[in-house]
Amino acid sequence: MQRSTPVDPTKMGTGRAIAVLTSGGDAQGMNAAVRATVRVGIYTGAKVYFVHEGYQGLVDGGDNIRQATWESVSMMLQLGGTVIGSARCQDFRSKEGRAKAACNLVKLGITNLCVIGGDGSLTGANEFRNEWSELLQILLKAGRINISEEAKRSSHLNIVGMVGSIDNDFCGTDMTIGTDSALHRIMEVVDAITTTAQSHQRAFILEVMGRHCGYLALVTALACGADWVFIPEMPPDEGWEDHLCRRLTYQRSIGNRLNVIIVAEGALDRHGKPITCDILKNLVTKKLSFDTRATILGHVQRGGTPSAFDRILGSRMGVEAVMALLEATPDTPACVVSLSGNMAVRLPLMECVQVTKEVTKAMAEGRFEEAVKLRGKSFENNWNTYKLLAHVTAPDVKSNINIAILNVGAPCAGMNAAVRSAVRIGILQGHNMLAVHDGFDGLAHGTIEPMAWGYVGGWTGKGGSNLGTKRSLPASMIEEISLNIAKFNIHALVIIGGFEAFVGGLELVTAREKFEELCIPLVVIPATVSNNVPGSDFSIGADTALNTITTTCDRIKQSAAGTKRRVFIIETMGGYCGYLATMAGLAAGADAAYIYEDPFGIHDLETNVEHLLEKMKTTVKRGLILRNEKCNANYTTDFLFNLYSEEGKGVFDCRKNVLGHMQQGGTPTPFDRNFGTKMGAKAVLWLTDKLKECYRHEGRIFANTPDSACVLGMKKRAMIFQPLFDLKEDTDFEHRIPKTEWWLKLRPILKILAKYKISLDTSETATMEHELEL
């Protein structure tokens, strides 16, 4: 699909018409997808139509199909549900209904349809496309359309799908629109329930949505450290009742005041009988006489504001969907745009639907291991991590290995989740786990103590750093550090932190030639709100900070919508790294985001001011400007505030807001809890293998190869270990950022959605991928 001649993206859609509809159950983030589809459609020169009330509106036509304007999708980004309405539709299931729908589209000259919904809605769309020419024949025969113009103009229909479903039950896509927001709602409830349950020593049973898919239940269980999870893909073994009671009793015996059991609404036992909240409640009450409460979350999970992730996901998918429609030919199969790792991909719609159906079939036929595999890598990783952490019997044989864990740099949400899983996986491997307080200072001063299983209980949902963290680097105290490594007999290090953790790790490796004690394996886990650690696309804590900024921007925009003609200038954290400003700009619908990596000068500022002056003439009378704290030494937040105030005189007034340290605090989001948990577990398992390689006689460890000191990072689609030394090349040490940053390619989307006529590089658009990675 590589094109040889460059296409002007602002002319791609000239003379074309696109209709967008949402169908099936609603999901948070659908509005972001609708907004992006409309704005990018208009940007390419196409006409865009809303179809209200899903397929029902398509069949009924008339006022249900209305042309969209740029302003009509304003203030939509932060709303949950779907603004254009969704409905279950019987009429569309009949051929007569579909013929009516086809007639409505032909009359308006619409030949491109973008459907946002679950697998049912997308299958319906594909069927509609396949029988399009047949439907045209029916309409021609009945004389409902004329042969010359209308039929010619609409000879074929292009379809593209985006998956909006809170269950994350569609194969081929890592995350569906709405899943992350649903997890936010669930975790809010779990956090609230844990505080009351601990007061009374109770067992809590929570039922979450997911009739055929256990994703929400599984991630919730991982993110809150539940004692047990029941999911449809993997029914519990025979005799699970006794096993469950044993586990709950054991948890109480080691001092836990609280038990949490998570159940997916579609959970079954090996005989296909449902496992419900009531069954579990009766079991626990009768057998253990624990004080037990059951909560069914229900539609709470569909509600509320979309999370930052879902807004960015919806926006990115909307852009990709328009491109896929405008590039489609009669021969390209209908595709679904989705996300794999952090890459937008296009997948053949029916292949995905097929695999999704195969999961249901595998479950029905009792092939459960296969069902988990078919769900995809991300689901399988979650399941494996859950299994590792849930079985709490530590081995009798000790490994005599001591692994120390420290936090370095500024605190961020999710650090504690990583520490907890590292400690517990270590204990399960038979190691002794040591806590180092206050970063490298603690390693030099010997504030080191052992951690048992219970030491890290309840840490997953706690923000900040429980171990304590400092920014000091090891080079100035390397001698003291090596003495303590020998004194406490430390065989390996887990360093969880930001750019200082990376630099500190490098300093330890460099000092290996002088100090043999430092020849031990070490792993750096990136954890910082700035997301500026080389070797990883994401770092723990950035998602929480992003959500904090986004929520604050929502409130600020709301206040501006009240006063009218107001522009807000907001300063975000991130050091020299523009990740937070850019991503928050996408998630909050900013007019501009100033960052260090994308240099700007006086002409750019002038363009931005003029753009806002133009905007104030429309119905949207407010502006939002984000500025990364170190984007430019001279164009400070105050400078920008003064500039915009002066230039906007008489048209708009300005306010400024420095968000500050609220971005480092707060309860970790589901993503950061889950990401931290997986990273902590993976790091310790890797160290266990490395230690075997570095083992010398008399229990000595000797590691001095570059690959014995790595950063564990998320790259594109996988978590990989990269030697610290190899990453030096790709690091700008002066500005504390990696030299290549994947998210910079999202900047044009931010500008297009803010109505700038810039060129979008369409040469890199995702090609259709067939190999569903199973």
Side-chain angles (χ1 to χ4, degrees):
M1 272 177 62
Q2 287 303 321
R3 289 183 305 277
S4 48
T5 49
V7 179
D8 176 1
T10 58
K11 306 250 182 341
M12 270 174 85
T14 312
R16 314 274 292 274
I18 300 172
V20 57
L21 67 90
T22 53
S23 167
D26 68 320
Q28 308 95 319
M30 280 183 166
N31 291 327
V34 170
R35 169 181 176 267
T37 307
V38 168
R39 288 194 168 173
V40 176
I42 293 172
Y43 159 85
T44 62
K47 276 185 180 170
V48 188
Y49 291 86
F50 288 134
V51 179
H52 291 269
E53 312 309 329
Y55 285 120
Q56 194 62 56
L58 205 57
V59 174
D60 297 345
D63 241 4
N64 287 307
I65 307 178
R66 274 178 264 173
Q67 195 171 340
T69 63
W70 192 274
E71 283 93 46
S72 63
V73 291
S74 183
M75 278 311 254
M76 207 163 139
L77 198 55
Q78 59 267 48
L79 300 174
T82 162
V83 173
I84 57 176
S86 173
R88 309 270 176 204
C89 174
Q90 283 308 314
D91 297 348
F92 195 73
R93 289 168 189 263
S94 70
K95 190 157 264 186
E96 176 48 34
R98 290 195 292 276
K100 271 188 192 162
C103 184
N104 291 328
L105 290 179
V106 170
K107 290 286 179 210
L108 291 167
I110 299 169
T111 53
N112 299 288
L113 188 59
C114 175
V115 179
I116 307 166
D119 57 347
S121 313
L122 300 186
T123 311
N126 193 56
E127 199 176 322
F128 187 43
R129 174 186 190 242
N130 288 341
E131 57 175 31
W132 183 253
S133 46
E134 191 187 331
L135 294 173
L136 289 188
Q137 289 308 315
I138 294 172
L139 296 173
L140 280 168
K141 268 195 188 130
R144 282 152 70 181
I145 58 173
N146 65 50
I147 188 150
S148 56
E149 197 169 314
E150 291 176 336
K152 251 200 199 99
R153 185 178 66 185
S154 307
S155 58
H156 73 276
L157 178 71
N158 295 322
I159 292 266
V160 69
M162 288 185 247
V163 194
S165 148
I166 66 166
D167 295 344
N168 203 14
D169 55 359
F170 193 80
C171 292
T173 149
D174 278 358
M175 285 292 258
T176 57
I177 297 171
T179 307
D180 188 61
S181 303
L183 286 169
H184 273 254
R185 291 305 87 77
I186 296 169
M187 289 319 299
E188 283 157 20
V189 173
V190 172
D191 286 348
I193 279 176
T194 42
T195 48
T196 159
Q198 278 178 329
S199 312
H200 300 281
Q201 293 211 27
R202 284 194 172 134
F204 261 90
I205 301 159
L206 270 134
E207 182 187 290
V208 300
M209 282 186 168
R211 233 167 324 168
H212 306 296
C213 178
Y215 185 87
L216 290 177
L218 181 53
V219 174
T220 302
L222 262 182
C224 72
D227 296 302
W228 198 290
V229 66
F230 292 96
I231 58 171
E233 288 85 350
M234 211 18 121
D237 296 332
E238 297 291 344
W240 61 268
E241 295 91 342
D242 294 337
H243 189 173
L244 172 67
C245 292
R246 277 202 308 278
R247 182 168 310 165
L248 298 184
T249 316
Y250 173 73
Q251 286 296 340
R252 284 289 164 97
S253 73
I254 59 172
N256 283 352
R257 300 174 60 85
L258 151 81
N259 302 106
V260 181
I261 300 166
I262 308 286
V263 201
E265 61 178 329
L268 304 165
D269 66 12
R270 292 265 159 183
H271 306 290
K273 279 213 270 310
I275 296 176
T276 62
C277 265
D278 289 343
I279 291 173
L280 292 169
K281 188 178 171 185
N282 294 335
L283 171 75
V284 177
T285 317
K286 283 203 181 100
K287 270 205 157 171
L288 304 174
S289 28
F290 281 5
D291 189 0
T292 310
R293 297 283 184 278
T295 305
I296 296 175
L297 289 189
H299 278 74
V300 165
Q301 297 161 80
R302 281 193 192 280
T305 321
S307 65
F309 179 88
D310 274 330
R311 297 182 198 193
I312 293 164
L313 176 67
S315 303
R316 290 182 67 185
M317 283 188 176
V319 177
E320 194 59 48
V322 172
M323 292 304 156
L325 281 172
L326 298 180
E327 288 170 8
T329 64
D331 310 325
T332 22
C335 78
V336 46
V337 294
S338 106
L339 201 68
S340 179
N342 59 17
M343 294 156 59
V345 294
R346 297 179 194 174
L347 299 162
L349 179 82
M350 289 324 287
E351 275 185 36
C352 296
V353 169
Q354 199 46 53
V355 181
T356 306
K357 288 196 170 126
E358 276 169 28
V359 180
T360 321
K361 194 169 166 234
M363 282 166 17
E365 292 171 6
R367 292 178 283 125
F368 299 115
E369 297 283 343
E370 200 177 323
V372 170
K373 269 206 166 41
L374 286 169
R375 276 271 180 245
K377 282 224 174 68
S378 151
F379 191 93
E380 202 181 349
N381 285 342
N382 285 327
W383 176 246
N384 291 336
T385 310
Y386 165 74
K387 277 197 306 200
L388 279 173
L389 284 166
H391 302 291
V392 293
T393 39
D396 301 327
V397 186
K398 285 274 183 272
S399 65
N400 292 328
I401 292 285
N402 302 319
I403 298 181
I405 303 183
L406 59 158
N407 290 166
V408 177
C412 69
M415 278 183 161
N416 295 326
V419 173
R420 171 186 170 271
S421 75
V423 166
R424 294 199 164 173
I425 294 288
I427 291 171
L428 293 175
Q429 300 276 313
H431 309 325
N432 302 314
M433 304 304 288
L434 303 173
V436 179
H437 297 285
D438 304 327
F440 289 117
D441 283 17
L443 205 50
H445 301 142
T447 44
I448 299 171
E449 60 172 336
M451 292 186 275
W453 187 272
Y455 189 95
V456 290
W459 277 28
T460 323
K462 299 272 192 295
S465 158
N466 286 356
L467 290 179
T469 178
K470 282 239 168 67
R471 286 177 178 271
S472 334
L473 290 169
S476 59
M477 39 192 177
I478 211 86
E479 207 158 326
E480 294 90 329
I481 287 176
S482 63
L483 287 172
N484 276 324
I485 285 179
K487 179 180 166 188
F488 289 91
N489 200 11
I490 294 168
H491 300 106
L493 283 178
V494 178
I495 307 171
I496 302 168
F499 198 81
E500 288 89 355
F502 174 73
V503 176
L506 266 173
E507 289 181 1
L508 292 180
V509 175
T510 312
R512 277 177 174 177
E513 353 180 319
K514 285 207 185 116
F515 298 95
E516 200 181 318
E517 295 84 353
L518 298 176
C519 295
I520 55 172
L522 67 92
V523 64
V524 173
I525 298 178
T528 163
V529 299
S530 307
N531 193 22
N532 61 341
V533 179
S536 192
D537 291 344
F538 296 105
S539 57
I540 298 168
D543 186 65
T544 305
L546 189 54
N547 276 287
T548 305
I549 300 170
T550 306
T551 323
T552 312
C553 287
D554 287 351
R555 292 183 180 176
I556 288 171
K557 268 173 83 173
Q558 205 169 24
S559 85
T563 30
K564 301 272 190 306
R565 299 185 185 283
R566 179 158 288 177
V567 173
F568 274 92
I569 292 163
I570 295 173
E571 180 185 304
T572 68
M573 278 187 167
Y576 285 97
C577 177
Y579 177 80
L580 286 179
T582 300
M583 292 312 226
L586 268 173
D591 294 287
Y594 297 119
I595 64 168
Y596 165 75
E597 293 94 337
D598 190 355
F600 57 98
I602 194 75
H603 293 306
D604 304 294
L605 294 173
E606 206 175 351
T607 310
N608 295 149
V609 172
E610 281 163 11
H611 185 261
L612 280 175
L613 289 168
E614 280 304 304
K615 189 179 177 181
M616 294 298 158
K617 294 177 187 167
T618 68
T619 51
V620 188
K621 298 191 191 319
R622 45 155 217 286
L624 181 70
I625 305 283
L626 294 176
R627 178 190 174 274
N628 167 259
E629 57 182 355
K630 289 192 178 170
C631 66
N632 188 305
N634 297 314
Y635 297 143
T636 59
T637 302
D638 288 336
F639 175 91
L640 291 179
F641 170 70
N642 293 337
L643 175 81
Y644 278 84
S645 300
E646 179 60 33
E647 295 298 320
K649 235 183 229 167
V651 183
F652 58 77
D653 62 351
C654 275
R655 294 286 183 273
K656 66 170 190 266
N657 217 325
V658 176
L659 298 185
H661 278 73
M662 61 187 280
Q663 296 164 83
Q664 285 182 0
T667 320
T669 55
F671 176 85
D672 279 333
R673 295 180 196 203
N674 189 11
F675 189 41
T677 300
K678 286 202 277 201
M679 296 278 269
K682 204 169 168 84
V684 172
L685 292 174
W686 178 81
L687 283 175
T688 305
D689 288 343
K690 268 282 165 267
L691 285 162
K692 285 178 189 147
E693 288 171 28
C694 310
Y695 196 78
R696 301 286 178 269
H697 58 86
E698 296 157 28
R700 274 184 59 242
I701 300 293
F702 184 75
N704 66 349
T705 53
D707 71 349
S708 62
C710 284
V711 171
L712 167 56
M714 182 91 173
K715 275 287 184 192
K716 286 189 178 160
R717 301 181 177 188
M719 285 190 197
I720 57 170
F721 291 89
Q722 289 165 282
L724 288 162
F725 253 93
D726 295 1
L727 293 166
K728 272 170 78 168
E729 284 300 294
D730 186 40
T731 306
D732 171 352
F733 284 95
E734 186 192 342
H735 298 103
R736 302 159 49 90
I737 50 174
K739 287 178 187 167
T740 44
E741 293 173 307
W742 68 273
W743 49 265
L744 282 171
K745 62 176 188 290
L746 302 185
R747 303 258 315 157
I749 299 176
L750 172 72
K751 291 171 187 169
I752 287 167
L753 293 176
K755 212 173 181 173
Y756 281 94
K757 279 274 181 265
I758 61 152
S759 82
L760 180 66
D761 176 13
T762 52
S763 62
E764 249 197 50
T765 45
T767 45
M768 189 85 88
E769 298 197 9
H770 287 278
E771 71 314 316
L772 283 174
E773 291 194 23
L774 299 177

